[in-house]
């Protein structure tokens, strides 16, 4: 594992611990995570920028659709960051969007939300839980696990390139 991936993983573990304990994360960790993600990707700017903007566009589309859905459901305009989502959750997704390729980002996003929802359901079954879910923290832990598993067990999966996923699907 390259040293920049180690720094990237340490930053995400720090986000996980802060989010779990305080349900808040120091804001300066997100620009640092963005920078480390770019450096860990190890490509020139023209190669990572399209994926980053696709990932950013997906986040914006997701927020827009979620805002419209919740507003229609509640019969009033809903400010998504006031009631349902933390700004740190969005900043985390933007930051890791610089590291992950587009299809890997979509896969990570969907799988992480499903796994976190299942975990929270099981956790809520046995204990009374806080209504706030440390989403960025859990997603950071899952991404660290994916990076470490790929490095240690050499699955041949590149999180910064969609080729493995396209080969698998096609």
């Amino acid at each position: 594992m390259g040293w920049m991936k180690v720094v990237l993983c340490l930053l995400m573990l720090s986000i996980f611990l802060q989010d779990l304990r305080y349900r808040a994360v120091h804001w300066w960790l997100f620009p640092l995570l963005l920078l480390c993600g770019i450096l860990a990707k190890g490509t020139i700017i023209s190669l990572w920028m399209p994926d980053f903007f696709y990932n950013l566009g997906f986040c914006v589309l997701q927020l827009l659709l979620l805002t419209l859905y919740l507003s229609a459901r509640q019969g009033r305009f809903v400010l998504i960051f006031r009631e349902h989502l933390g700004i740190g959750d969005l900043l985390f997704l933007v930051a890791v969007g610089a590291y992950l390729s587009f299809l890997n980002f979509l896969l990570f996003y969907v799988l992480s939300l499903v796994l976190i929802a299942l975990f929270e359901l099981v956790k809520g079954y046995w204990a009374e839980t806080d209504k706030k879910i440390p989403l960025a923290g859990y997603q950071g832990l899952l991404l660290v696990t994916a990076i470490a598993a790929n490095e240690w067990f050499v699955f041949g999966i590149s999180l910064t390139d969609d080729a493995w996923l396209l080969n698998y699907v096609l």
Side-chain angles (χ1 to χ4, degrees):
M1 186 181 302
W3 69 273
M4 192 51 67
K5 283 185 184 175
V6 171
V7 173
L8 185 70
C9 289
L10 289 174
L11 282 170
M12 286 188 284
L13 287 174
S14 175
I15 289 170
F16 167 69
L17 293 172
Q18 285 183 29
D19 205 7
L20 193 65
R21 183 168 183 181
Y22 304 113
R23 298 298 193 267
V25 178
H26 288 102
W27 69 269
W28 54 268
L29 287 174
F30 298 111
L32 197 55
L33 183 65
L34 176 75
L35 179 63
C36 287
I38 292 168
L39 294 174
K41 194 162 185 170
T43 59
I44 57 176
I45 193 166
S46 63
L47 295 178
W48 68 262
M49 278 298 241
D51 279 333
F52 177 68
F53 284 115
Y54 292 147
N55 296 343
L56 190 61
F58 174 76
C59 288
V60 169
L61 179 66
Q62 184 76 17
L63 287 174
L64 178 65
L65 292 174
L66 192 56
T67 299
L68 291 173
Y69 169 75
L70 291 171
S71 296
R73 187 171 176 213
Q74 294 183 14
R76 63 178 176 81
F77 183 73
V78 173
L79 294 172
I80 194 101
F81 292 111
R82 182 171 291 164
E83 301 173 33
H84 301 283
L85 191 65
I87 193 76
D89 301 327
L90 176 64
L91 291 175
F92 177 81
L93 289 172
V94 168
V96 298
Y99 178 69
L100 298 171
S101 62
F102 181 63
L103 293 178
N104 281 306
F105 182 80
L106 292 177
L107 183 65
F108 166 73
Y109 181 75
V110 170
L111 284 177
S112 68
L113 289 181
V114 168
L115 290 173
I116 291 166
L118 289 173
F119 176 73
E120 285 294 317
L121 281 172
V122 169
K123 189 174 90 171
Y125 181 76
W126 279 287
E128 189 171 321
T129 60
D130 187 9
K131 283 191 169 202
K132 291 184 177 182
I133 296 172
L135 184 63
Y138 284 158
Q139 286 180 322
L141 183 64
L142 288 170
L143 190 53
V144 166
T145 304
I147 291 170
N150 191 44
E151 291 291 325
W152 290 330
F153 300 114
V154 192
F155 291 125
I157 295 171
S158 172
L159 298 175
T160 61
D161 183 17
D162 291 331
W164 76 271
L165 193 54
L166 290 172
N167 287 336
Y168 182 74
V169 171
L170 299 176

